[in-house]
Amino acid sequence: KIYFRARKTKEELLERVLAIADFVADPPGNERWISEDEDDDKFVRFAIKEKIPFILSGDRHLLVLKEVQGVKILSASEFLKESKDGNSI
């Protein structure tokens, strides 16, 4: 028997993300979590300030954090798995 693993297309992933995404300005503040790339801190700052439950990213500097002050940091594959499993992201 041959088994195939179903994969989402890039378009399906983008459609899912855009259904829940907001585009925002750089938030004020100077908190630091990512010493290797301080420009990434703005995403964490904003998510905390706005009580956003997760950040979807492919950036390795963000992904190593896993979670900051209740904000999960997920890769695309983690996002798809959690949303497919019905988990509260």
Side-chain angles (χ1 to χ4, degrees):
K1 292 183 177 181
I2 299 174
Y3 295 93
F4 294 96
R5 181 173 173 227
R7 298 194 77 156
K8 297 291 181 190
T9 66
K10 291 177 188 176
E11 292 78 18
E12 288 173 310
L13 175 59
L14 182 59
E15 185 177 301
R16 280 180 146 179
V17 170
L18 291 177
I20 59 172
D22 287 320
F23 295 91
V24 296
D26 188 9
N30 58 2
E31 300 88 347
R32 296 282 180 238
W33 294 275
I34 307 166
S35 59
E36 297 85 10
D37 190 354
E38 292 180 359
D39 286 341
D40 290 341
D41 287 320
K42 63 186 166 201
F43 302 112
V44 178
R45 259 196 319 276
F46 182 82
I48 292 168
K49 178 179 178 282
E50 296 298 321
K51 297 176 177 59
I52 295 171
F54 68 92
I55 296 170
L56 178 60
S57 178
D59 187 291
R60 65 182 174 87
H61 299 117
L62 285 169
L63 290 170
V64 297
L65 297 174
K66 302 284 186 202
E67 186 171 326
V68 177
Q69 295 183 24
V71 176
K72 290 182 181 182
I73 302 170
L74 304 170
S75 67
S77 60
E78 291 169 327
F79 170 78
L80 286 173
K81 182 182 181 318
E82 290 202 25
S83 63
K84 178 185 167 216
D85 292 346
N87 293 337
S88 172
I89 300 172

